[in-house]
Amino acid sequence: MRNWSRRDVLKSGLVLPAVARLPNAAFGYAAATTPASTRERLLLDFGWRFHFGHGTDAAKDLGYNSGRNGSFQKTGNFLPAGALSYDDTGWSDVDLPHDWVISLPFKNDASLSSKGFYPVGRSYPEYSVGWYRRVFDLTAEDMGKRISVEFDGVYREALVVFNGYYIGRHHGGYDPFRFDLTDFVKPGEPNVLLLRVDATESDGWFYEGAGIYRHTWLVKTAPVHVAQWGTFVRSTVEGGRANLEIRTEVENHAGASRVVRITSTVLDAAGKAVGKASIKPMAVPTDGTGTFEQQVSVSNPALWSLEERNMYRLVTEVEADGAATDRYETHFGIRTLRFDADQGFFLNGKSVKIKGTCNHQDHAGLGVALPDAAQRFRVRTLQEMGCNAWRSAHNPPTPELLDACDEMGMLFLDETRMMSSNPEGIAQFENLIRRDRNHPCVFMWNMGNEERESTTETGLHILSTMKRSAAKLDGSRPVTVAPPPLGLSLGQGGLNVSDVVGYNYADPQIDAYHNAHPKIPVMGTENVSAVATRGAYAIDASKGAVSSYDPYTTSGRASAEGWWRFVNTRPWMPGGFVWTGFDYRGEPSPYQWPNINSEYGFVDVCGFPKDTYYYYQAWWTDRPVLHMFPHWSWTGLEGKQIAVWLHTNMERVELFQDGVSLGAKDVPQDSHLQWIVTYKPGVLEARGFRKGQQMIARRETVGKAVKLAIRVDRTEISADGADLAFITAEVQDAAGLALPITDNEVTFNATGAGRVIGTGNGDPTSHEPDTQNVRRAFAGLCMGIVQTTRHAGAISIEISSPGLASASVTLTSSAVEMTPQVSPWKRAVPAGEGVTGLWRPVLQPGPSGIDPLQLAVSGDTLYIFTQSGTTLTGTLDGPPAAFGPAVTGAIHGTVEGDRVQFKVGTTTYDGSVIGDRMELRRSAPPRPLAATSRPAETGERPVIGPPPEGTDPSLGGFRGGAQPQLVLRRSQR
């Protein structure tokens, strides 16, 4: 079989039936009649299609960049999947955010340890590439607007194709990026956005997932508009007045210079204008950016703090040549920050001890694709323990996490992924600053984490450049670096660039550093790393279990109590960040397979508290705490001694065993209490006393499992298709006591206006699928996650387990104002008699795969038929053909019995219908011959000589007439 090229098809006369004309639109810049203020930021999360690609096999990767038909050879026909007519029947429906790795099976491969033993990376090309496809309409009114697509996060390398045009690539799995699509849009038509996401390479040493795992947005603006992240409000507070310095960047793509005026209005939480400024108009050149500086004064400002989360809104109005072109809103807060080398950290002039946690971004049942409600659930879980600061380890966070911290009152240490001043690294850091600088929760920039180079002369150059970027783009916050652990390099190389010197696991060393440099502020950037398994009280490596008793040390590592006592006795120490708040996938510690996640957190991957959680809650909050452990069901240990601990902030506690006092003890500051108790089944009761009030905690020997109990974090949620409810299932005995050791299999079912999207249990050795609705209990608990649909109504949730009484709860999913979004486009399928419907070619594989000729003349061509009696009408829709534009045309023909005849353009089709299969012969008139000036031949032709007149040898003897058989099948897409 001959291998046909695109050029062969063009020359052969095998032209497809019709060629679409270019729209009658002006080229170049938008006309001056573009509508005034056109800004729209539309959510592009719903209605995607997904298909696995392949990292090494082009045949399994949609043919990407394979052979002569490589994707980068011509503009506008990058891949068949980029065309509207492409058949994506074999693809899956997905909504964003989406993480495909969390659905993969686990693999016992030591090289996968840091990724949680999920098979992704260079050795697993079949799971390391994914394709995403989204079709949406743009209206005719969008002509002349600037159209761009913004991705909040894609892991890891994204290749973007739009309407068949290669747009660009982005490297890096955590920083946001955007592409301008304006030159490639089709207003008034469906448009196709295609992404190839390649997670073969890796950023971190922890679970990172893969896919479009954060929000995606379609942005429409007038040609003159505020740039992305183009506003910055910097505030200073003096007495009863806040002075705001407002910087605004405006882009001009109008095709000519424009005189631009900016008006900035500051609104308080109630929407009342509390300040306004306008500035003298300034000319902004075409394709240039103008920067405007303004000052606004706000009297008696409502400051943002951990307790009072007051926010303001900046409304920026843009006029170009006297016409309104943009309105842009920026949320910000007013507050003051100060680090003092002797007294620690001050927020709005008030001393605040930083009680922080480091956290990766994955969660049980979700992977890294966390809906916004999960961000708030995680912030709330840590706040209830007393945590007041979050470090994004080790990458830029999703914007919705910062929104949650602004709204809920949580300080944020904002960290870049790549410590580098190379173009990619500095772009990541500068984008982080530009995007996040208006969030009042962000109190410091972190330029890197445990980088050896940070302690060198080269590191000094790199970090100095990064710090200059922070000063240029912000200048209102300090910078720091989390240095290599154990304090071996404090004060060396680039670490001296830090405004606040960080330290990791080095309490004694930072003591010495402070004594030697008493005027330099310091802070713990990563501390503790104490491991524990929820519900485990003895080390058992075979089960991945680590004891929950805190191993008190003073080395600056491994002990919650040791670290906090160190911090809280030093006024100059502002606090720090515990490693970690939540357990996380990957970096299994301290064991390897079958462990799949770390055990550093004081809550597990579901958010269920471990015992150490209550140590922090006792000393980080003012609420009364009396937490006793371990459980009191130790079959086989009768007569043995057991250490009973209490984490409490009571003044004095008395312990009773079966009603008999075992003595009372005063509670030491920032510490715990311990009794050694001889085990026998029964009841332990602790009675705590504080300021004349009594608090009781009990531990009882439990019976056998009898029933399930259900708890939910919220009973009222939003019908937006994204909101979540976290469902806890607890295994109980007949008296309602939780069983501390049980592995009952629990099924989560949701009916009505919601669905179960994931489960978890906190067991570091659990290999159950996260995205199914069944999970075994671990230490008495497991969790299901329910997501709303976009229809209001009741959600009935039932949990069940063989042999146990089930439990249920009903949630209310209420209608809300939806985030403006781009509606998914879906092709209408004609309904009617006979052959009415969608039909697609069946490509016949040969010895070397699909014949390129078939791909060229059939490929993803779509035939849309409507039969009425014997009359056949419809349209043909196809991708760009050979060197021409997309192929379209009207269908006119007849159907008589099983015979079908029709014509599209100059091509005639004739054949038969057999059920859902159509076999057609296709013919087209020969292409006209080019004029020749060669004299007519006379006499006998020589045996060796030129070809006959009018013959083109490059055609291989084929020119017009009958064409290869075409077989069609019915299709639903």
Side-chain angles (χ1 to χ4, degrees):
M1 180 178 291
R2 180 180 175 184
N3 290 324
W4 287 71
S5 72
R6 291 157 54 100
R7 193 175 302 275
D8 292 334
V9 174
L10 180 70
K11 294 193 300 180
S12 71
L14 287 175
V15 290
L16 282 171
V19 177
R21 294 184 177 180
L22 292 174
N24 294 320
F27 291 92
Y29 293 98
T33 56
T34 298
S37 182
T38 58
R39 178 176 292 274
E40 295 179 89
R41 190 168 191 256
L42 307 173
L43 188 65
L44 196 56
D45 279 1
F46 297 102
W48 288 79
R49 302 280 282 172
F50 172 79
H51 195 279
F52 274 113
H54 201 280
T56 58
D57 188 341
K60 298 177 181 177
D61 199 30
L62 307 190
Y64 166 62
N65 210 29
S66 60
R68 174 151 184 192
N69 294 315
S71 302
F72 293 95
Q73 293 179 359
K74 298 292 180 181
T75 296
N77 189 15
F78 191 81
L79 271 178
L84 181 64
S85 61
Y86 177 74
D87 183 7
D88 63 3
T89 299
W91 295 43
S92 303
D93 289 318
V94 298
D95 293 329
L96 309 183
H98 179 245
D99 173 8
W100 78 66
V101 174
I102 198 64
S103 299
L104 297 179
F106 295 99
K107 178 77 172 179
N108 185 5
D109 178 346
S111 70
L112 300 173
S113 171
S114 66
K115 304 304 178 188
F117 294 99
Y118 287 97
V120 65
R122 190 173 296 277
S123 299
Y124 298 91
E126 67 273 26
Y127 293 131
S128 297
V129 174
W131 290 88
Y132 292 85
R133 189 170 185 270
R134 177 66 152 82
V135 183
F136 57 89
D137 276 314
L138 289 173
T139 68
E141 289 73 24
D142 289 325
M143 178 68 74
K145 297 179 184 178
R146 304 301 298 184
I147 309 293
S148 61
V149 62
E150 297 180 353
F151 297 93
D152 286 345
V154 178
Y155 195 84
R156 182 193 181 265
E157 179 182 308
L159 180 147
V160 179
V161 178
F162 185 65
N163 287 333
Y165 295 91
Y166 168 70
I167 302 300
R169 279 194 174 105
H170 178 77
H171 300 273
Y174 298 99
D175 55 316
F177 61 98
R178 70 184 287 272
F179 286 108
D180 190 320
L181 306 177
T182 304
D183 291 346
F184 311 98
V185 299
K186 297 179 180 179
E189 301 179 37
N191 292 251
V192 183
L193 180 61
L194 179 71
L195 269 77
R196 182 182 188 267
V197 180
D198 190 341
T200 300
E201 296 180 341
S202 177
D203 275 283
W205 51 96
F206 38 84
Y207 178 84
E208 298 182 280
I212 311 177
Y213 71 97
R214 292 178 180 172
H215 292 309
T216 299
W217 306 86
L218 188 73
V219 180
K220 306 176 184 180
T221 67
V224 180
H225 59 269
V226 176
Q228 185 186 32
W229 313 315
T231 56
F232 174 42
V233 183
R234 177 174 177 172
S235 62
T236 57
V237 179
E238 298 177 5
R241 184 172 296 277
N243 299 310
L244 308 182
E245 298 177 10
I246 302 172
R247 183 188 308 161
T248 307
E249 298 170 2
V250 175
E251 294 181 354
N252 174 20
H253 299 284
S257 177
R258 292 286 185 265
V259 176
V260 175
R261 178 192 295 274
I262 298 296
T263 301
S264 299
T265 305
V266 177
L267 307 178
D268 64 15
K272 177 184 175 182
V274 295
K276 188 171 184 177
S278 188
I279 194 170
K280 182 180 178 180
M282 180 175 74
V284 178
T286 184
D287 293 328
T289 300
T291 301
F292 299 79
E293 304 281 354
Q294 297 170 297
Q295 289 78 39
V296 172
S297 181
V298 177
S299 299
N300 302 314
L303 303 183
W304 183 92
S305 69
L306 302 179
E307 300 79 21
E308 300 289 335
R309 282 82 68 187
N310 298 301
M311 297 290 292
Y312 287 87
R313 187 158 42 105
L314 172 68
V315 177
T316 304
E317 295 171 291
V318 180
E319 294 179 10
D321 289 350
T325 62
D326 199 9
R327 186 180 190 276
Y328 187 85
E329 294 193 0
T330 306
H331 293 267
F332 71 98
I334 300 173
R335 46 93 181 110
T336 65
L337 306 172
R338 179 169 64 89
F339 279 88
D340 186 281
D342 296 320
Q343 301 176 61
F345 173 67
F346 291 81
L347 178 62
N348 300 326
K350 175 185 175 183
S351 177
V352 173
K353 210 73 165 179
I354 297 169
K355 304 166 183 176
T357 61
C358 306
N359 294 284
H360 286 303
Q361 61 179 357
D362 63 297
H363 193 89
L366 302 171
V368 296
L370 273 62
D372 299 351
Q375 308 293 353
R376 285 168 169 76
F377 173 84
R378 288 162 65 85
V379 171
R380 186 167 61 248
T381 297
L382 297 180
Q383 280 187 321
E384 289 172 353
M385 183 206 65
C387 175
N388 65 11
W390 185 302
R391 176 186 170 199
S392 58
H394 297 289
N395 48 261
T398 185
E400 290 70 32
L401 175 56
L402 295 179
D403 291 340
C405 290
D406 281 346
E407 296 164 15
M408 301 172 72
M410 175 83 77
L411 293 168
F412 204 92
L413 176 56
D414 211 347
E415 182 170 332
T416 193
R417 170 80 287 276
M418 183 184 293
M419 192 202 85
S420 182
S421 54
N422 67 25
E424 186 175 337
I426 205 69
Q428 287 185 11
F429 188 50
E430 291 188 348
N431 285 344
L432 170 78
I433 294 173
R434 284 174 55 84
R435 186 195 67 177
D436 298 347
R437 58 190 172 179
N438 289 306
H439 286 278
C441 66
V442 176
F443 75 111
M444 191 181 302
W445 308 114
N446 187 7
M447 299 185 291
N449 174 70
E450 295 185 345
E451 299 273 0
R452 178 184 63 83
E453 287 301 312
S454 67
T455 67
T456 67
E457 184 71 18
T458 301
L460 175 62
H461 298 313
I462 291 171
L463 290 165
S464 295
T465 298
M466 295 178 73
K467 183 176 181 178
R468 286 194 296 273
S469 287
K472 174 184 67 176
L473 298 173
D474 176 22
S476 67
R477 298 168 176 85
V479 297
T480 191
V481 182
L486 305 181
L488 302 178
S489 305
L490 288 174
Q492 296 183 17
L495 299 181
N496 289 316
V497 169
S498 298
D499 297 313
V500 178
V501 171
Y503 77 95
N504 289 17
Y505 312 111
D507 293 347
Q509 292 88 345
I510 202 65
D511 233 356
Y513 181 88
H514 175 70
N515 290 334
H517 307 88
K519 300 302 181 183
I520 299 178
V522 301
M523 182 186 70
T525 40
E526 188 171 316
N527 312 98
V528 183
S529 280
V531 290
T533 306
R534 181 177 59 81
Y537 300 98
I539 295 175
D540 187 344
S542 67
K543 296 181 180 179
V546 187
S547 172
S548 293
Y549 296 98
D550 184 62
Y552 178 80
T553 68
T554 56
S555 67
R557 183 176 174 86
S559 171
E561 184 173 324
W563 173 73
W564 183 245
R565 291 180 68 176
F566 173 88
V567 168
N568 210 28
T569 55
R570 288 159 173 78
W572 51 267
M573 174 61 68
F577 293 84
V578 175
W579 188 267
T580 55
F582 283 81
D583 281 349
Y584 54 95
R585 299 273 188 187
E587 201 175 18
S589 305
Y591 308 115
Q592 293 293 309
W593 182 269
N595 275 43
I596 57 170
N597 64 255
S598 82
E599 300 186 61
Y600 291 117
F602 41 72
V603 299
D604 65 21
V605 291
C606 298
F608 295 139
K610 303 179 187 181
D611 291 295
T612 302
Y613 178 96
Y614 299 98
Y615 169 80
Y616 290 110
Q617 189 179 63
W619 301 113
W620 283 7
T621 74
D622 294 326
R623 72 186 67 179
V625 176
L626 183 63
H627 174 76
M628 178 166 50
F629 65 97
H631 61 80
W632 208 239
S633 298
W634 297 100
T635 302
L637 293 184
E638 290 79 5
K640 304 295 185 181
Q641 291 188 327
I642 293 177
V644 176
W645 278 31
L646 284 102
H647 289 318
T648 181
N649 52 15
M650 299 289 103
E651 296 167 355
R652 186 172 177 81
V653 177
E654 186 172 8
L655 183 65
F656 294 82
Q657 183 177 24
D658 298 329
V660 177
S661 176
L662 301 182
K665 297 183 179 182
D666 293 331
V667 179
Q669 178 71 28
D670 297 328
S671 190
H672 68 278
L673 294 178
Q674 174 180 284
W675 279 263
I676 304 299
V677 182
T678 301
Y679 175 69
K680 63 177 178 178
V683 179
L684 288 181
E685 181 176 285
R687 299 175 187 172
F689 302 91
R690 175 180 170 182
K691 298 179 180 178
Q693 301 295 314
Q694 179 177 278
M695 187 176 187
I696 295 177
R698 293 168 63 91
R699 289 287 181 263
E700 301 182 38
T701 305
V702 301
K704 66 177 183 178
V706 170
K707 60 183 179 180
L708 295 175
I710 189 169
R711 298 193 300 272
V712 297
D713 70 317
R714 295 181 297 154
T715 58
E716 295 186 3
I717 51 182
S718 300
D720 58 4
D723 205 3
L724 304 178
F726 291 82
I727 316 300
T728 298
E730 184 176 82
V731 181
Q732 296 183 346
D733 66 7
L737 299 175
L739 271 70
I741 303 173
T742 185
D743 63 352
N744 302 74
E745 187 177 82
V746 178
T747 299
F748 295 81
N749 282 317
T751 57
R755 62 190 180 98
V756 178
I757 63 169
T759 60
N761 62 9
D763 180 358
T765 64
S766 174
H767 296 173
E768 298 166 275
D770 271 57
T771 53
Q772 294 187 9
N773 69 329
V774 178
R775 199 75 173 202
R776 291 190 176 276
F778 176 70
L781 302 174
C782 58
M783 173 175 282
I785 303 173
V786 171
Q787 188 171 56
T788 61
T789 65
R790 282 178 281 179
H791 302 285
I795 306 174
S796 298
I797 302 168
E798 182 183 49
I799 55 174
S800 59
S801 181
L804 303 183
S806 61
S808 63
V809 67
T810 299
L811 311 182
T812 300
S813 180
S814 301
V816 294
E817 183 178 352
M818 303 288 283
T819 300
Q821 55 194 265
V822 182
S823 298
W825 179 88
K826 186 175 182 181
R827 187 186 298 278
V829 180
E833 61 180 296
V835 300
T836 298
L838 307 180
W839 294 75
R840 290 185 177 275
V842 178
L843 301 181
Q844 306 293 332
S848 301
I850 301 297
D851 180 19
L853 177 59
Q854 290 189 69
L855 288 172
V857 301
S858 300
D860 286 290
T861 304
L862 178 65
Y863 295 77
I864 307 170
F865 292 132
T866 300
Q867 180 181 341
S868 177
T870 61
T871 301
L872 183 65
T873 58
T875 57
L876 180 147
D877 186 10
F883 294 90
V887 176
T888 61
I891 293 172
H892 300 283
T894 60
V895 179
E896 296 181 358
D898 64 355
R899 186 179 181 187
V900 59
Q901 293 179 303
F902 61 93
K903 193 172 184 180
V904 184
T906 60
T907 302
T908 301
Y909 300 77
D910 188 350
S912 58
V913 180
I914 307 170
D916 288 340
R917 181 181 174 92
M918 192 180 296
E919 297 179 354
L920 301 170
R921 294 175 299 280
R922 193 169 30 180
S923 62
R927 298 186 66 194
L929 298 177
T932 177
S933 59
R934 204 172 80 187
E937 295 184 8
T938 59
E940 184 178 356
R941 293 195 67 251
V943 176
I944 304 297
E949 179 185 355
T951 300
D952 183 349
S954 70
L955 295 176
F958 185 86
R959 186 176 64 81
Q963 301 184 14
Q965 183 188 45
L966 175 65
V967 177
L968 303 181
R969 59 169 175 82
R970 279 193 184 273
S971 177
Q972 294 303 310
R973 295 185 65 86

